[in-house]
Amino acid sequence: MIRRSFLAALAFAAALPVAAWAEAPLKVVATTGMIADAARQIGGDQVEVKGLMGPGVDPHAYRQTRSDIVAMTRADLILWHGLYLEAQMENFFHDLGRKRPVVAVAEGVDKSKLRAHDDYADKYDPHVWMSPAVWRDVVVEVQKALTDARPEAADAFAANTQAFLAEIDQLEAYGKQVLAEVPENNRVLVTAHDAFGYFGEEYGYEVLGIQGISTQSEAGLNRIGELVDTLVDQQLTAVFVESSVSDRSMRALIEGAAAKGHDVGIGGELYSDAMGEPGTYEGTYIGMLDHNISVIAGALGADVPERGMNGKLSAGS
Ligand SMILES: [Zn+2]
């Protein structure tokens, strides 16, 4: 009788799917493509990452869909940016954080590295991915969150993080090199909204957005008039459109300059708040910034490698 129940207990233990449970990838949901990419680079085959915001999606305006909510209720870990980037989802994430493991990864950046927000005295500019040096801190936060969720994979996560940080260092150095080749009086970046503040600070560029730090603020006619004057006065000939923001106000700027007899063209399309298509080089963090750096430097007068830092950019970008 005793022997029989012992065997039954053994059979029961053997039937428990212990091995399968340990090997199932950690289900991670991330808001922006940039965070999803960091989770994939660090997590490798230990994670299954779902990014909520695809190419061309504006995080300032994004609201969770029904299928996003389903994915988040099934996730082992939810990563969002914070710093008021996902402004329409703040309350949602604060509520969700009481029930699920939810981490705002950009909130971990050392405050001394953050730029002030133009519109809110108590907030920071959220666009930290634009500076490889600042994004490093976010990558380390993602590593911590994944390690907390799956401590047994800590060594693999640490090794993958080191490899990813080395690529980010290479990207930073490439940016410093090619952006410094732009003539000094041309180091002005005119874009649809103020997403490039950290970029400007890191690489020594003046950055002028038609809209403020959020795309939700109004692009006033006054602002367009001011920027037209700047383009004419400083003899700037290139402005940049963004993949996640309408180019309507950018066209108004070009027309305004033309009316004053000054020719301005589109220097290229930049990935400001969303990455490129999944499965492409531009659909990774490194590719997104390589694209931006190469397009900006090239349009403003530097001699850049045709296909960017790694020879991987799509032709014609
Ligand atoms: Zn933005």
Side-chain angles (χ1 to χ4, degrees):
M1 194 64 200
I2 290 166
R3 186 175 163 79
R4 199 173 153 193
S5 65
F6 176 66
L7 284 177
L10 263 187
F12 179 67
L16 278 177
V18 173
W21 170 79
E23 282 164 17
L26 196 66
K27 283 200 181 72
V28 180
V29 169
T31 53
T32 69
M34 294 74 85
I35 299 170
D37 182 64
R40 286 189 189 105
Q41 300 291 339
I42 298 164
D45 54 14
Q46 297 275 337
V47 298
E48 187 183 288
V49 182
K50 179 184 168 61
L52 299 185
M53 303 177 191
V57 172
D58 177 355
H60 303 285
Y62 191 83
R63 278 176 197 278
Q64 66 280 4
T65 65
R66 210 171 284 222
S67 68
D68 292 348
I69 295 170
V70 172
M72 286 188 268
T73 56
R74 290 178 185 160
D76 300 307
L77 175 66
I78 297 137
L79 303 174
W80 63 301
H81 188 84
L83 299 179
Y84 208 56
L85 176 71
E86 303 98 330
Q88 311 300 318
M89 296 169 81
E90 286 264 324
N91 293 337
F92 173 80
F93 281 122
H94 288 140
D95 288 346
L96 190 66
R98 293 194 205 104
K99 294 171 247 159
R100 316 281 310 159
V102 172
V103 183
V105 286
E107 304 275 354
V109 174
D110 190 305
K111 295 291 178 276
S112 67
K113 297 184 187 172
L114 294 178
R115 295 167 47 80
H117 197 300
D118 296 341
D119 304 329
Y120 306 99
D122 61 336
K123 290 187 167 51
Y124 298 100
D125 178 350
H127 301 92
V128 290
W129 57 91
M130 288 298 182
S131 158
V134 184
W135 190 243
R136 289 179 63 92
D137 287 15
V138 177
V139 168
V140 171
E141 291 301 311
V142 173
Q143 180 199 358
K144 280 186 207 156
L146 290 177
T147 306
D148 286 347
R150 180 161 288 183
E152 62 271 29
D155 290 349
F157 293 158
N160 293 343
T161 302
Q162 286 317 307
F164 189 39
L165 290 176
E167 278 189 76
I168 293 176
D169 287 348
Q170 191 201 351
L171 178 74
E172 189 185 0
Y174 170 72
K176 289 220 158 99
Q177 181 212 324
V178 295
L179 289 161
E181 285 173 23
V182 170
E184 230 160 289
N185 56 342
N186 264 359
R187 293 182 197 168
V188 184
L189 186 59
V190 181
T191 59
H193 89 295
D194 264 331
F196 292 84
Y198 292 96
F199 176 97
E201 207 158 275
E202 178 156 355
Y203 294 115
Y205 276 58
E206 188 183 353
V207 173
L208 303 168
I210 299 178
Q211 281 177 291
I213 282 176
S214 170
T215 56
Q216 306 297 289
S217 58
E218 283 294 314
L221 285 177
N222 286 349
R223 180 65 180 151
I224 291 183
E226 261 171 43
L227 286 175
V228 166
D229 291 343
T230 307
L231 291 171
V232 176
D233 294 348
Q234 300 191 33
Q235 290 295 295
L236 303 170
T237 55
V239 294
F240 297 87
V241 292
E242 297 174 29
S243 63
S244 54
V245 184
S246 153
D247 64 355
R248 198 177 38 193
S249 48
M250 200 46 79
R251 279 185 272 130
L253 200 59
I254 293 171
E255 283 161 23
K260 294 196 167 188
H262 179 62
D263 241 357
V264 174
I266 305 261
E269 183 179 78
L270 304 178
Y271 297 111
S272 53
D273 293 0
M275 307 193 305
E277 292 295 328
T280 68
Y281 178 55
E282 289 82 352
T284 66
Y285 173 72
I286 298 286
M288 168 195 193
L289 260 77
D290 184 4
H291 168 95
N292 287 351
I293 290 167
S294 302
V295 166
I296 292 166
L300 298 180
D303 200 12
V304 293
E306 204 178 327
R307 309 285 288 270
M309 168 176 87
N310 288 322
K312 288 187 191 168
L313 289 178
S314 339
S317 64

